[in-house]
Amino acid sequence: LSDKGTLRFVGLYLFYIGLFTLLYINFKDDLRFLNTSTAATLSIFLDMLGVHTTVNEAIIYIDLIALEVIGECTGIYEIVVYSGCVLAYPASNVKRLTGIAIGIPVVLGINMVRLISLAFIGLKYPSMFNYAHYYLWQVTLIIIVVFVMLVWIEKVVRK
């Protein structure tokens, strides 16, 4: 930690995470559309994959199960972590904007894959749902966010 660059990154990262968290807390009610739009998008993908769904706001009904999309399901926390890293990393503003413009859709796409897989797990292996939801995918999302960040550093920042 004696490296000033590392300390600067950590300090800026904590600042951005704090700022984004405060913004999210203050505007959480205004962002509920993310829950419903995520549920609607998930429903579209599941229907395309042959799984009939019904959506009521942020709740998706599939056969005998109901899945509620809450704030944590939208990918917003992963976006906050990823964006905080990108903004804190020593790069030009253009490279940071590129990282955010490319990284956020990638993170959201991976989050949708997560939701689709959880829906299938809930349908086919309901006893495994909680494990996959709370453990497997939580760790996987952390690894994916770090991986997307490292790809951005390698392909955009260091070019």
Side-chain angles (χ1 to χ4, degrees):
L1 289 178
S2 63
D3 180 17
K4 289 182 183 180
T6 302
L7 288 175
R8 183 178 185 281
F9 172 78
V10 170
L12 283 172
Y13 172 74
L14 292 173
F15 167 76
Y16 286 121
I17 292 297
L19 175 65
F20 294 152
T21 300
L22 285 174
L23 288 171
Y24 179 73
I25 289 168
N26 285 321
F27 295 102
K28 191 173 187 174
D29 291 337
D30 297 326
L31 295 173
R32 287 185 191 229
F33 74 92
L34 294 174
N35 302 10
T36 56
S37 62
T38 300
T41 304
L42 175 57
S43 175
I44 290 167
F45 280 114
L46 289 172
D47 286 340
M48 288 178 4
L49 293 169
V51 178
H52 177 70
T53 63
T54 306
V55 180
N56 183 6
E57 294 191 16
I59 301 175
I60 301 170
Y61 299 94
I62 312 167
D63 290 340
L64 299 175
I65 65 171
L67 303 172
E68 182 178 7
V69 175
I70 60 173
E72 290 84 351
C73 301
T74 64
I76 191 74
Y77 295 129
E78 290 78 13
I79 290 170
V80 164
V81 169
Y82 174 77
S83 297
C85 285
V86 169
L87 292 173
Y89 197 82
S92 69
N93 288 335
V94 169
K95 290 181 179 185
R96 287 182 183 132
L97 288 174
T98 302
I100 289 172
I102 293 170
I104 288 177
V106 168
V107 169
L108 289 175
I110 292 166
N111 186 59
M112 190 55 58
V113 169
R114 174 183 81 91
L115 295 175
I116 292 166
S117 74
L118 287 172
F120 278 104
I121 291 168
L123 281 171
K124 303 291 183 187
Y125 308 100
S127 64
M128 295 297 296
F129 181 83
N130 284 336
Y131 170 77
H133 184 253
Y134 293 113
Y135 300 105
L136 178 66
W137 269 111
Q138 295 299 326
V139 171
T140 303
L141 281 177
I142 292 167
I143 292 168
I144 289 169
V145 168
V146 170
F147 179 74
V148 172
M149 174 73 181
L150 293 173
V151 169
W152 169 71
I153 291 169
E154 189 63 34
K155 299 295 182 184
V156 177
V157 175
R158 292 192 177 161
K159 254 189 154 182

